Amino acid sequence: MRRIMLAALCCLGAGIGSSGLALAQAGGQAPERPVIAGAIGSASAAQGSSLDRIAGRLSDLWRDGVHSAEALAGVPLLASPPPMAPPLASSVTVRRAAAPFGGSFVQGPAQPVQTHPAQMLPAQADRATGSEAPAPASTENPVVVELYTSQGCSSCPPADELLSRLAAKDGVIALALHVDYWDYIGWADKFARPAHTKRQKAYAHANGSRTIYTPQMVINGTEQVVGARPMEVVDLLEHHAAQANSVRLQARRVGDMIELKAPSPSPALGELVVQLVRYLPSATVTIKKGENAGKTLDYANIVTSWDVVGKWDGQSVLDVSLPAPGSDPAVVIVQRPGPGPIVGAARVP
C-alpha cells in the first residue's frame, strides 16, 4: 500500500481547488454549472494522525510552488499494512463534481449488468481448446475502484489523473466508467455508456441515496467518495486492502476463454453475481467543446463492457470457463446483488 499511497498523494496538487460538484436534475436538462462545496465521502483521517501530517506537508509544498511528483519523494508515508492472504425511483438528482458441475453456478449469454441472464444454460462450460499455453493464474486480493466520470465534467480531470496512477499499482483494480448524462453540455463523451449511468444509479439506490455525481469513486462496491479527494481515497484503499476478500478467485486466459476457479467460501455467502469486465488500457482525447474544451486528457482502464455472465450459490466450489474473445484485458468481479459489496475480483491480461 506504500506505493498506492504515494501514487494517490502525488495527485493531491491536481485535486486542490477542485472540490466543487455541479448539480442537475435527472431526466431533464441540467442547469448551467451550479456548484456546491463541501466534503462528500465516508472516510477522513483523525486529527493529529499521520494522514493529517502528510496533508499538511503537501499543502506547504504546494503553497511554496512545488508541484512535481518527484519533489514529494521525501514526504513520509504510513507503514504498509501487513499482507493479507434495479431500478431507481423516478426522481433522482444528479451531481457532478454456483458450484460448477453439480452445484448451482448458472451461466448464460453475457447480458448488460442491469439485467438478468435471459437464458440459463448448464453449469459446465466448454473448455477452450488449442495448443497455446495458458497464462498464469491471477491470485490477487485486490481492491476494486470504480470511477464514474465524464469528458464533459470540468471537475473530473483530477480524478481521471488519480485513477490513472492507481491503475498502475499492484493491489488495485481501477476501472473508469464514463457516464452519459453530461453529454448535452456540448461534448459527447466517446466512452460514455447508458449502462454505466444505470450502474451508478443502482449504487445510489442500494445506498438509500437519491443523488449521483461526477467524479465519484465506488470502492469495493461499498464506499462512495468524491474521486478528486485523494486523501479520502487513500484512507479507504488502506482500509479495504487490510481485509481479505471473502472469495479467493483464480483466473487465467486459455485462448479465447477465461478459466475461473474459487474454493468453497466459509461461511457460505449466498447468491452472488459473476461479472466479466473488458476495458481499454489507455487513450488520449483532445476535447474540442464543452467545459473541458481545448484540453488534451489521458484516460486509463476505460470500461468498454460490463456483463453479468452467471450466478453462483456462494457455497460450492467454483470452476467454470467464460468466453472472452479479443485482445482487451479483462476483470472478473464477484459481487453481492444490489449491487452490493464486491467479495472477490481478479484481472486477466
Side-chain angles (χ1 to χ4, degrees):
M1 291 305 299
R2 184 182 297 268
R3 290 178 296 172
I4 295 173
M5 289 183 61
L6 179 58
L9 293 173
C10 288
C11 298
L12 183 59
I16 294 174
S18 300
S19 59
L21 303 175
L23 306 176
Q25 181 67 36
Q29 287 263 313
E32 189 74 18
R33 299 183 59 190
V35 173
I36 65 171
I40 299 176
S42 61
S44 62
Q47 183 69 25
S49 69
S50 296
L51 283 178
D52 277 329
R53 292 194 298 273
I54 295 168
R57 176 61 176 147
L58 289 171
S59 297
D60 293 341
L61 289 170
W62 182 262
R63 285 194 297 270
D64 292 341
V66 178
H67 298 167
S68 68
E70 292 76 10
L72 303 178
V75 177
L77 300 177
L78 293 176
S80 299
M84 303 295 294
L88 269 176
S90 57
S91 177
V92 180
T93 301
V94 179
R95 295 191 302 182
R96 171 171 41 171
F101 324 148
S104 61
F105 181 85
V106 288
Q107 187 172 1
Q111 299 289 332
V113 70
Q114 72 275 10
T115 67
H116 297 292
Q119 178 183 4
M120 299 304 179
L121 301 179
Q124 184 168 3
D126 293 335
R127 297 288 180 178
T129 59
S131 58
E132 65 271 28
S138 169
T139 56
E140 297 178 283
N141 182 38
V143 179
V144 177
V145 178
E146 302 171 46
L147 171 63
Y148 292 88
T149 185
S150 172
Q151 293 173 9
C153 162
S154 61
S155 301
C156 287
D160 297 323
E161 171 65 15
L162 175 56
L163 189 88
S164 295
R165 293 178 179 268
L166 293 177
K169 301 304 175 183
D170 295 333
V172 177
I173 293 178
L175 299 168
L177 292 90
H178 289 238
V179 297
D180 62 350
Y181 48 83
W182 298 119
D183 286 359
Y184 79 94
I185 291 177
W187 179 258
D189 189 325
K190 62 182 293 186
F191 304 126
R193 283 173 163 71
H196 298 168
T197 302
K198 291 179 181 178
R199 180 171 174 84
Q200 189 184 22
K201 287 182 177 181
Y203 270 129
H205 181 65
N207 196 45
S209 174
R210 300 175 68 85
T211 61
I212 57 176
Y213 61 91
T214 58
Q216 182 190 41
M217 284 186 178
V218 179
I219 298 176
N220 265 6
T222 58
E223 312 282 1
Q224 301 180 19
V225 62
V226 175
R229 296 178 185 246
M231 299 304 294
E232 294 181 31
V233 173
V234 166
D235 196 30
L236 291 171
L237 286 173
E238 284 201 316
H239 171 73
H240 284 275
Q243 304 178 39
N245 285 339
S246 302
V247 175
R248 298 289 293 182
L249 291 179
Q250 295 186 19
R252 66 177 180 179
R253 182 181 292 279
V254 182
D256 284 339
M257 305 292 288
I258 292 175
E259 290 187 348
L260 183 64
K261 297 182 179 182
S264 175
S266 180
L269 300 176
E271 184 179 81
L272 301 170
V273 180
V274 181
Q275 299 157 102
L276 179 64
V277 182
R278 307 300 296 274
Y279 63 90
L280 180 66
S282 63
T284 299
V285 178
T286 298
I287 299 175
K288 299 179 180 179
K289 297 180 180 179
E291 293 187 344
N292 291 317
K295 295 181 180 179
T296 298
L297 301 175
D298 296 323
Y299 297 97
N301 289 14
I302 306 148
V303 172
T304 56
S305 65
W306 191 305
D307 298 319
V308 171
V309 294
K311 293 181 179 180
W312 178 30
D313 65 0
Q315 64 182 9
S316 309
V317 173
L318 179 66
D319 186 3
V320 296
S321 290
L322 307 174
S327 60
D328 285 351
V331 172
V332 178
I333 291 176
V334 178
Q335 188 170 19
R336 292 187 184 275
I342 291 173
V343 298
R347 75 181 100 212
V348 185

